């Protein structure tokens, strides 16, 4: 009797053939065939990710960031910012006489801290194409990225959002640059995180009733919001001309009051003789640095608080690039037929 399997031949004329040798031959045949199949697979498909499955764990924040970074493609974002939805001034003939007067009389220099996370320079691009164009002068400051950024930029070694020490270092550079280049021709100096939207007309109206010769500031750049610590800084701080004279580079760096979630409190401003004049409303809300309405409602509902944002609010924080363009449209371009808004 001849038994043949996978190249192995067993000759026997006995019925009591040793089955162990047959089983061994079958096993060797299977293993050799499997190995050959794996080799052929990787030759045909050099990408091993098609074959192997890798389980990855990620938190919700990472998922949201990934979605937001890919929400708009570059060409889609560029098309949106040049669409009539954003630049629709030809459709409306607003009487902005008072706004123009304030723009000339209340000069505000804006410094925006750029980020290399959460979509890279897309936030700063959104800021440049929306509210920053209404500043008397504006400059961006941060670490250089691979994306082209065609706006006035001061490059630093660190990102403002990297750490407390990095934030102080970048802020110190911003102060020195402001004092050297923009101090003489401006009265107020706004420092903003790039995830904040500012209504410059409301800010100028508020500042028109303040005295730039007094050493004071308004607003805070922080991670804290209604008892919640967010993973990154947001908001604006506005300094008067007198307060800018008191801010010293050495004092900023050497300040020992390190509050990880409250950047403005880590500058030793009180010791420098600069007063916090940030106005507060009910439940600790202010016309400066409001939360987005959707988030504010979610926080207020469990507490039974029915709160309406101030119609003269100055800034909204913790925004993403699409939110910037949405606020630009809602504030400056949306109209309700038959209703003429009266200034308050």
């Amino acid at each position: 009797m001849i038994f043949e399997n996978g190249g192995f031949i067993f000759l026997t004329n006995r019925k009591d053939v040793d089955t162990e040798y047959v089983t061994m031959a079958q096993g060797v045949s299977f293993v050799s065939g499997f190995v050959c199949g794996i080799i052929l697979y990787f030759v045909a498909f050099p990408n091993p990710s098609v074959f192997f499955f890798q389980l990855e764990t990620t938190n919700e924040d990472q998922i949201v960031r990934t979605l937001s970074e890919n929400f708009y493609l570059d060409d889609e974002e560029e098309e949106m910012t040049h669409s009539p939805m954003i630049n629709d001034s030809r459709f409306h003939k607003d009487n902005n006489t008072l706004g123009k007067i304030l723009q000339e009389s209340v000069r505000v220099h804006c410094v925006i801290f750029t980020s290399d996370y959460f979509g890279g320079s897309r936030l700063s691009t959104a800021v440049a194409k929306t509210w920053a164009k209404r500043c008397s002068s504006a400059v961006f400051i941060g670490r250089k990225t691979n994306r082209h950024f065609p706006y006035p930029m001061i490059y630093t070694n660190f990102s403002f959002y990297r750490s407390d020490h990095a934030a102080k270092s970048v802020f110190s550079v911003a102060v020195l640059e402001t004092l050297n280049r923009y101090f003489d021709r401006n009265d107020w100096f706004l420092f903003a995180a790039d995830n904040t939207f500012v209504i410059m007309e409301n800010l100028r109206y508020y500042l028109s009733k303040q005295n730039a010769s007094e050493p004071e500031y308004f607003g805070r750049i922080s991670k804290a919001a209604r008892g919640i610590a967010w993973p990154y800084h947001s908001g604006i701080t506005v300094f008067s001309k007198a307060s800018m004279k008191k801010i010293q580079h050495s004092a900023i760096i050497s300040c020992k009051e390190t509050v990880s979630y409250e950047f403005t409190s880590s500058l030793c401003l009180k010791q420098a003789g600069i007063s916090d004049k940030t106005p507060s409303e009910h439940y600790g809300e202010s016309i400066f640095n409001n939360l987005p309405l959707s988030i504010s409602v979610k926080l207020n509902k469990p507490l039974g608080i029915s709160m309406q944002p101030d119609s003269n609010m100055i800034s909204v924080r913790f925004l993403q690039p699409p939110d910037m363009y949405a606020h630009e449209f809602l504030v400056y371009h949306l109209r309700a037929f038959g209703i003429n808004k009266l200034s308050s």
Side-chain angles (χ1 to χ4, degrees):
M1 177 180 178
I2 300 177
F3 184 84
E4 182 176 356
N5 190 315
F8 291 89
I9 301 176
F10 298 89
L11 300 176
T12 180
N13 55 2
R14 294 178 301 175
K15 294 182 179 180
D16 58 342
V17 62
D18 190 350
T19 57
E20 290 185 7
Y21 292 103
V22 176
T23 304
M24 183 183 297
Q26 291 175 338
V28 171
S29 176
F30 173 79
V31 172
S32 61
F34 179 79
V35 172
C36 291
I38 291 293
I39 295 174
L40 291 174
Y41 175 84
F42 280 100
V43 171
F45 304 100
N47 185 5
S49 62
V50 180
F51 186 80
F52 294 103
F53 296 92
Q54 182 179 3
L55 295 178
E56 296 183 356
T57 58
T58 183
N59 56 42
E60 183 178 354
D61 183 59
Q62 291 175 324
I63 296 174
V64 171
R65 291 191 180 194
T66 302
L67 290 174
S68 65
E69 288 173 357
N70 297 314
F71 192 82
Y72 286 107
L73 299 176
D74 290 344
D75 55 346
E76 292 175 340
E77 182 178 289
E78 188 70 18
E79 180 180 354
M80 184 176 70
T81 59
H82 287 87
S83 68
M85 185 181 76
I86 300 301
N87 297 317
D88 65 348
S89 57
R90 65 181 183 274
F91 296 114
H92 303 294
K93 302 299 181 182
D94 296 329
N95 184 0
N96 60 348
T97 303
L98 181 58
K100 288 294 185 181
I101 294 175
L102 288 176
Q103 188 174 6
E104 294 296 329
S105 60
V106 183
R107 296 190 58 81
V108 183
H109 173 65
C110 302
V111 179
I112 299 97
F113 300 110
T114 65
S115 56
D116 49 10
Y117 71 96
F118 222 52
S121 61
R122 290 187 177 183
L123 271 169
S124 297
T125 300
V127 169
K129 292 184 176 182
T130 55
W131 64 267
K133 62 188 178 184
R134 301 181 182 92
C135 299
S136 302
S137 56
V139 66
F140 295 80
I141 182 170
R143 192 168 64 176
K144 189 173 184 178
T145 63
N146 294 328
R147 284 175 60 97
H148 176 60
F149 192 71
Y151 302 100
M153 184 76 186
I154 303 171
Y155 292 110
T156 58
N157 294 329
F158 303 104
S159 169
F160 175 83
Y161 307 91
R162 179 177 178 179
S163 65
D164 296 334
H165 179 74
K168 286 186 178 181
S169 299
V170 175
F171 179 77
S172 179
V173 173
V175 169
L176 290 176
E177 185 72 13
T178 300
L179 292 174
N180 291 333
R181 297 184 57 186
Y182 302 98
F183 182 77
D184 292 337
R185 58 180 183 269
N186 291 285
D187 304 308
W188 300 92
F189 303 88
L190 180 154
F191 296 83
D194 60 358
N195 51 17
T196 309
F197 186 90
V198 184
I199 305 174
M200 291 300 298
E201 291 80 2
N202 288 357
L203 175 61
R204 285 192 171 96
Y205 174 69
Y206 179 80
L207 294 177
S208 67
K209 297 181 289 184
Q210 311 302 321
N211 189 353
S213 61
E214 293 292 331
E216 53 193 23
Y217 72 93
F218 310 92
R220 299 177 183 87
I221 297 177
S222 72
K223 298 179 182 179
R226 304 284 299 282
I228 299 176
W230 296 67
Y232 43 88
H233 284 102
S234 188
I236 66 170
T237 301
V238 181
F239 292 92
S240 66
K241 196 160 192 168
S243 63
M244 286 295 295
K245 292 181 180 179
K246 288 179 171 289
I247 298 177
Q248 300 294 327
H249 168 77
S250 57
I252 295 173
I253 301 300
S254 61
C255 179
K256 302 300 182 182
E257 291 191 11
T258 301
V259 184
S260 59
Y261 59 87
E262 190 77 44
F263 171 73
T264 310
S265 298
S266 301
L267 299 177
C268 292
L269 298 176
K270 185 176 181 180
Q271 290 84 330
I274 305 174
S275 302
D276 181 2
K277 297 296 184 179
T278 305
S280 297
E281 303 296 339
H282 297 295
Y283 306 106
E285 287 290 329
S286 172
I287 57 176
F288 283 86
N289 301 329
N290 284 257
L291 286 173
L293 186 58
S294 58
I295 297 177
S296 182
V297 169
K298 290 180 181 179
L299 294 178
N300 291 333
K301 188 174 181 181
L303 302 177
I305 300 173
S306 178
M307 195 169 63
Q308 185 176 356
D310 194 303
S311 59
N312 292 318
M313 75 165 59
I314 290 171
S315 59
V316 183
R317 57 181 179 154
F318 297 118
L319 301 178
Q320 298 179 24
D323 301 325
M324 294 288 180
Y325 300 111
H327 278 74
E328 175 80 2
F329 174 71
L330 293 173
V331 172
Y332 294 99
H333 306 292
L334 183 64
R335 297 293 184 274
F337 179 77
I339 298 178
N340 295 322
K341 297 180 180 179
L342 300 177
S343 60
S344 58

